[in-house]
Amino acid sequence: MTDLSLLLYAVIPPLLLLAYYYCRVFTAPSLLRLLLFFIVGAVSGFIALSLEWVFETVANSIVDWQQMNKSIPGIALRQLVEIGPIEEGCKLAAVVAPTCYFKRRYQLRPGSIFLFSIAVALGFTAEENWIYFDNGTASIFERAIATPVHALFSAPWGYALGIFIGSYIPLSRYKKVIPSAWLNSVICHALVNFLSSAWRFPAPLSFLSYGLFPFLLWMFWRFEQLLRKVQSKPPITLISGYTPKLRNWQRGLVLFALMIGGNAILGLFLMARIISPLSPSQLLYPDKFWFIFTRFLLSLILGLIAWLIYRYLRRSARQQYF
């Protein structure tokens, strides 16, 4: 694979996702300005990579950092004190610095600033894609699936920053929320990376990997809710019961839907990764065809159940208000 094709595979999926959210935000800034933030996000990715290298060099001079990272506590510690803070810190700085420059010249709305955080996160993803492809450590399909993840991480501080900077009347309480929102992003970032590597652990810790896609599904739901709020749209309500018993029942349904919906996506992801090296003729072999059919049917049934639970909760919420 040539360098140009690597670059295109790394950049095109994040740019397509950025275009999708650009069309959804009615207060979106100019496309040229958004592309500038995308490029700044990619540069911040290289800066983060350099800072991580410096951190590990210093840490190795004090303790055996590489050996520590082979243990479960060491992996969790690395994500919490190195990867999460450095990457989320670089993305935050990549949004704040240009935003402060533009704010002196233009009135920026909360939706625009939230979109800036998405652009920076997707630029960071493009840089990360290129590093993975250049080193041959991930497939195009795997990185395409991971395209929105950095944007999901950045959503809490992107929302708080947007409300604080983009409001006509300065809201000091959101300035105080920004550090806690950033810390939330760091913890979510670390947890996703930890869960994504849990399959390498011995049982029963390997079962933690089944929590990855449900957690990502919840993060996507949170992202969509924040995107609605930053545009002054009413949030989508799922928990609407008047009694504690009914609300707990609905919370249980939401958790159940996240578990089966997330693992339905995981099933499709694993199936696609298994069959991707096969030729079209091999897919028609009886054993391969039966494997594909049963896996797809199981994921479809789980996904349909999760969707029906979601529709039930939405309908219940509408009945409460009308």
Side-chain angles (χ1 to χ4, degrees), residues 20 32 36 68 77 86 98 138-140 205 211 224 230 240 243 278 284 289 296 298 300 306 314 322:
Y20 169 71
L32 185 62
L36 172 64
M68 284 178 59
L77 182 65
I86 289 176
S139 67
I140 295 172
L205 289 175
E224 287 292 321
V230 84
S240 59
T243 64
L278 303 179
L284 299 177
F289 179 81
F296 178 79
L298 177 61
L300 181 63
R314 290 277 287 133
F322 293 101

Side-chain angles (χ1 to χ4, degrees), residues 25 83 107 110 115-116 127 133 191 218 245 252 281 316:
V25 177
I83 303 299
Q107 174 62 46
L115 198 55
F116 289 160
E127 176 273 337
F133 294 156
L191 185 57
W218 172 80
K245 183 178 180 180
S281 60
S316 298

Side-chain angles (χ1 to χ4, degrees), residues 8-253:
L8 291 176
Y9 281 125
V11 170
I12 289 177
L15 281 178
L16 289 176
L17 190 59
L18 180 59
Y20 169 71
Y21 284 112
Y22 173 76
C23 295
R24 286 188 58 189
V25 177
F26 62 85
T27 59
S30 68
L31 190 57
L32 185 62
R33 200 177 304 166
L34 209 55
L35 289 175
L36 172 64
F37 276 87
F38 184 88
I39 294 170
V40 172
V43 172
S44 73
F46 287 106
I47 295 173
L49 191 65
S50 300
L51 291 176
E52 287 166 3
W53 178 81
V54 171
F55 181 94
E56 295 196 359
T57 301
V58 174
N60 277 320
S61 66
I62 301 172
V63 296
D64 194 348
W65 187 249
Q66 290 183 341
Q67 185 63 34
M68 284 178 59
N69 290 327
K70 295 179 181 179
S71 65
I72 295 171
I75 293 173
L77 182 65
R78 178 174 182 261
Q79 296 300 327
L80 278 173
V81 304
E82 178 190 344
I83 303 299
I86 289 176
E87 295 190 357
E88 292 303 317
C90 287
K91 286 189 291 182
L92 178 62
V95 174
V96 171
T99 298
C100 291
Y101 172 80
F102 286 121
K103 185 171 173 59
R104 298 193 192 102
R105 292 160 175 79
Y106 311 100
Q107 174 62 46
L108 300 176
R109 297 187 178 182
S112 298
I113 299 171
F114 189 75
L115 198 55
F116 289 160
S117 71
I118 296 175
V120 164
L122 291 174
F124 194 101
T125 300
E127 176 273 337
E128 203 171 65
N129 288 346
W130 186 81
I131 295 296
Y132 276 108
F133 294 156
D134 190 52
N135 291 304
T137 52
S139 67
I140 295 172
F141 173 75
E142 289 172 338
R143 292 308 303 168
I145 290 293
T147 298
V149 173
H150 272 289
L152 303 185
F153 293 153
S154 304
W157 59 257
Y159 171 77
L161 199 65
I163 296 298
F164 172 67
I165 296 179
S167 299
Y168 289 104
I169 301 174
L171 300 175
S172 58
R173 64 190 179 94
Y174 279 99
K175 183 178 182 180
K176 298 176 182 177
V177 167
I178 292 173
S180 60
W182 178 82
L183 182 60
N184 182 290
S185 297
V186 169
I187 293 172
C188 289
H189 193 143
L191 185 57
V192 166
N193 286 352
F194 179 80
L195 292 176
S196 66
S197 59
W199 62 270
R200 296 180 297 174
F201 305 156
L205 289 175
S206 59
F207 295 127
L208 291 173
S209 60
Y210 290 103
L212 173 61
F213 277 81
F215 186 62
L216 287 174
L217 191 58
W218 172 80
M219 290 181 65
F220 174 76
W221 169 258
R222 181 181 67 173
F223 177 90
E224 287 292 321
Q225 293 286 71
L226 292 175
L227 182 61
R228 291 178 66 88
K229 289 178 66 177
V230 84
Q231 298 183 85
S232 300
K233 294 181 179 180
I236 297 174
T237 302
L238 296 182
I239 309 298
S240 59
Y242 287 134
T243 64
K245 183 178 180 180
L246 183 56
R247 293 178 69 86
N248 289 333
W249 162 251
Q250 291 173 340
R251 290 189 184 100
L253 285 178

